[in-house]
Amino acid sequence: MSEEISAVQIIAESLKEQGVEYVFGIIGIPVIELSMAMQVAGLKYIGMRNEQSACYAAQAIGYLTGKPGACLVVSGPGLLHVTGGMANAQVNCWPLIVIGGSTNQDHEGIGGFQECPQVELSKPYCKYAARPPTAALIPLHVEKAVRYATYGRPGVAYLDFPGNILQSKVEADKIYKIGPHPSPPLAYPDPEDIRSAMKLLQNAKRPLIIVGKGAAYSHSENILRHLIENTNIPFLPTPMGKGVVPDTAPQCVSSARTLALQKADVVLLLGARLNWILHFGRAPRYDEKVKIIQVDLCAEELHNSVLSSVAIQSDIKPFVEHLFDQLNAVNYNFSSHNDWWRELNAKCKKNRDTVMEMAMNISQPLNYYAVFHHMQEVIPKDAIIVSEGANTMDIGRSMLANILPRHRLDAGTFGTMGVGPGFAIASALYCRDYQPGKKVLCVEGDSAFGFSGMEIETMVRYNLPITIVIVNNGGIYGGFDLEVFESMRSEGDLTQVTPPSALTVETHYEQMMQMFGMKGYFVKDVPALQDALKEANKLTTRPTIINVIIAPQADRKPQTFGWLTESKL
């Protein structure tokens, strides 16, 4: 008879064997011993304050490292609390492993503690969901979960462990042995498709490249920069495609986004989907005759929403390498002196001038543009920027530049609020372990911060130097000044007279730092903002909160189209 190995040790060592490095979670029955076994196996365990935040952090570390993070939760409510995070990761296409404890199998059907059909509930948000039937088969299911989460289009895998399985042991020679899976295979483009794409670009009068999050995840930045620098084709990044090619590159036409989309005659779509973020690829946001070259790892995504002129299933990096070689061979260069570039440059200048006029208005209370412009002047240029909120995120996206890939994380395709602190925690851990000295800036609307603000305690506990900037307008989208707010609430039932969008005026969120004997900043003007940011830049072992009060009705510059264009079916 060989040595007996506990199930929790098998789980922990299997995760380690498959390359998982970080686990985020909240412990309780029946996963307490499992969390300890994970640390013994060499996994880095980060205890969070909310299961949703734990799940957000685990998926963000998966995006940043390319290896899925794990999220450990208890049964029933614990698992239910992470379904929002699972859906976010699945829609965002980020690798994630969720491990849930569950009620003992002999208690199922008779009212067991936190009894819940967890595998069935998880399946809509997963690529793979299973309950290993015995401890001996755990390594097989862990390998499969990690492989499913990382191969093809990345996503979520869920493993369910009843209490009786977690408490069991198995003889070592009966454990299913399986080694680490190989790196995901690369999908290469069809050479004929490359030639078709090249021909469309060569003949285009108004070409445009859209750089998506998939290009960032695939680490295609070097070849993409060569392509754009040498061809001089205008490009637009999607929100988390920012930095793959620097926002400061002369070919970036983000300031003329509406014009670029509306008038381009050929669009090369690299690792981005034609969903709501890109207005479904349809008129009136695009020319009705636009030709789209769509490159995506997932075959099912091709031709989604509109019929692409050239649809190519491929990893982004090998496609761009082949396209660059062919365009370079014929000395293709899109001249800066043609009408398309002149039109784009004129629109970029006009919009930048409009924004700069708003940014230089530093009268109190401040507006969004003034806050972000003067933040940009003092924050490190290579900082990882995490952002969420409505106007806070959208305006910050256009004002806070990224020069490096995978350095912007925001609410993403699913538009999930509450992700910021979890994403920031993952980013800070990534920086500490992989890029020491790099700063993490978490820019939050005051409403968004309220979803997960207690994770500030997690940041303190793990010595994470995260700068949280709360852009505080006292409301959801917009609030009210104190006089108006109090006058509206002076009579009647508060549940009927308090506006649904209103939050308390000028809440002192920065005082949360006092709970830990630390300092936060309450800011109303530009000099105080920049001084606070400079002080925060010096922090190496603790977070801080900078609470910036802006005009309750501050808004973005006028838009040609509504923020969310209808699909026009």
Side-chain angles (χ1 to χ4, degrees), residues 23 68 76 89 154 157 225 240 244 301 311 340 375 382 395 462 496 542 565:
V23 182
R225 292 180 184 199
M240 278 186 275
V244 175
E301 186 63 37
W340 182 226
M375 281 178 59
D382 64 346
I395 299 172
Y462 289 99
Q496 294 185 312
R542 68 172 179 85
T565 306

Side-chain angles (χ1 to χ4, degrees), residues 465-484:
I466 298 165
T467 300
I468 299 175
V469 178
I470 301 173
V471 184
N472 187 350
N473 66 357
I476 301 171
Y477 299 109
F480 303 88
D481 61 39
L482 183 59
E483 182 178 353
V484 173

Side-chain angles (χ1 to χ4, degrees), residues 77-391:
L79 187 278
L80 287 170
H81 286 172
V82 302
T83 53
M86 293 166 72
N88 190 71
Q90 187 74 355
V91 174
N92 247 8
C93 310
W94 287 0
L96 169 69
I97 306 295
V98 176
I99 298 169
S102 58
T103 193
N104 285 14
Q105 287 169 301
D106 58 337
H107 292 173
E108 291 180 342
I110 57 173
F113 174 66
Q114 296 183 332
E115 182 181 349
C116 184
Q118 295 177 188
V119 174
E120 291 82 357
L121 284 169
S122 299
K123 282 183 178 179
Y125 314 109
C126 291
K127 294 177 69 179
Y128 179 69
R131 171 189 283 182
T134 67
L137 290 174
I138 286 172
L140 180 150
H141 287 277
V142 170
E143 186 277 333
K144 189 172 183 180
V146 174
R147 176 162 44 86
Y148 269 54
T150 51
Y151 275 38
R153 173 179 279 178
V156 185
Y158 173 68
L159 293 177
D160 190 72
F161 292 100
N164 57 294
I165 295 289
L166 290 172
Q167 295 157 14
S168 67
K169 294 183 178 181
V170 64
E171 293 178 24
D173 59 5
K174 294 182 178 178
I175 299 172
Y176 186 94
K177 302 289 194 258
I178 188 166
H181 63 269
S183 297
L186 283 178
Y188 282 80
D190 186 321
E192 185 60 38
D193 289 336
I194 295 286
R195 286 188 285 272
S196 297
M198 176 182 168
K199 184 177 180 180
L200 279 181
L201 287 171
Q202 282 183 300
N203 293 329
K205 295 181 178 179
R206 299 182 302 279
L208 179 68
I209 295 175
I210 297 178
V211 179
K213 179 174 57 204
Y217 184 79
S218 66
H219 289 248
S220 303
E221 55 268 18
N222 289 338
I223 186 61
L224 249 176
R225 292 180 184 199
H226 284 305
L227 174 71
I228 288 172
E229 287 170 3
N230 284 275
T231 63
N232 199 42
I233 297 174
F235 81 93
L236 282 174
T238 63
M240 278 186 275
K242 282 165 61 67
V244 175
V245 182
D247 289 342
T248 53
Q251 295 83 10
C252 182
V253 293
S254 291
S255 297
R257 184 181 191 271
T258 297
L259 174 70
L261 293 177
Q262 200 172 21
K263 292 195 174 182
D265 61 354
V266 173
V267 172
L268 173 58
L269 194 66
L270 297 175
R273 290 168 283 179
L274 291 175
N275 53 24
W276 66 272
I277 292 177
L278 289 175
H279 316 290
F280 313 104
R282 300 175 182 174
R285 297 303 297 259
Y286 292 76
D287 188 291
E288 290 185 351
K289 297 181 180 179
V290 65
K291 294 179 172 60
I292 294 176
I293 305 165
Q294 186 182 11
V295 186
D296 200 286
L297 180 62
C298 179
E300 291 82 356
E301 186 63 37
L302 300 175
H303 304 297
N304 190 42
S305 182
V306 297
L307 189 66
S308 298
S309 298
V310 182
I312 305 170
Q313 183 189 10
S314 174
D315 278 274
I316 302 301
K317 190 174 181 179
F319 168 81
V320 177
E321 288 172 344
H322 284 76
L323 180 66
F324 174 73
D325 287 344
Q326 294 206 20
L327 289 173
N328 195 45
V330 296
N331 296 314
Y332 173 84
N333 183 272
F334 192 69
S335 172
S336 297
H337 301 293
N338 61 44
D339 291 342
W340 182 226
W341 260 124
R342 279 194 287 269
E343 191 174 2
L344 288 170
N345 285 331
K347 189 65 173 178
C348 281
K349 182 181 185 305
K350 180 180 178 181
N351 286 342
R352 287 180 190 137
D353 289 346
T354 299
V355 166
M356 186 56 63
E357 183 178 353
M358 299 171 74
M360 298 313 294
N361 176 10
I362 59 174
S363 61
Q364 297 181 39
L366 296 170
N367 66 69
Y368 287 103
Y369 296 91
V371 169
F372 291 131
H373 173 75
H374 292 93
M375 281 178 59
Q376 182 72 67
E377 290 183 337
V378 296
I379 62 174
K381 301 299 183 246
D382 64 346
I384 292 182
I385 299 172
V386 176
S387 185
E388 63 171 330
N391 289 340

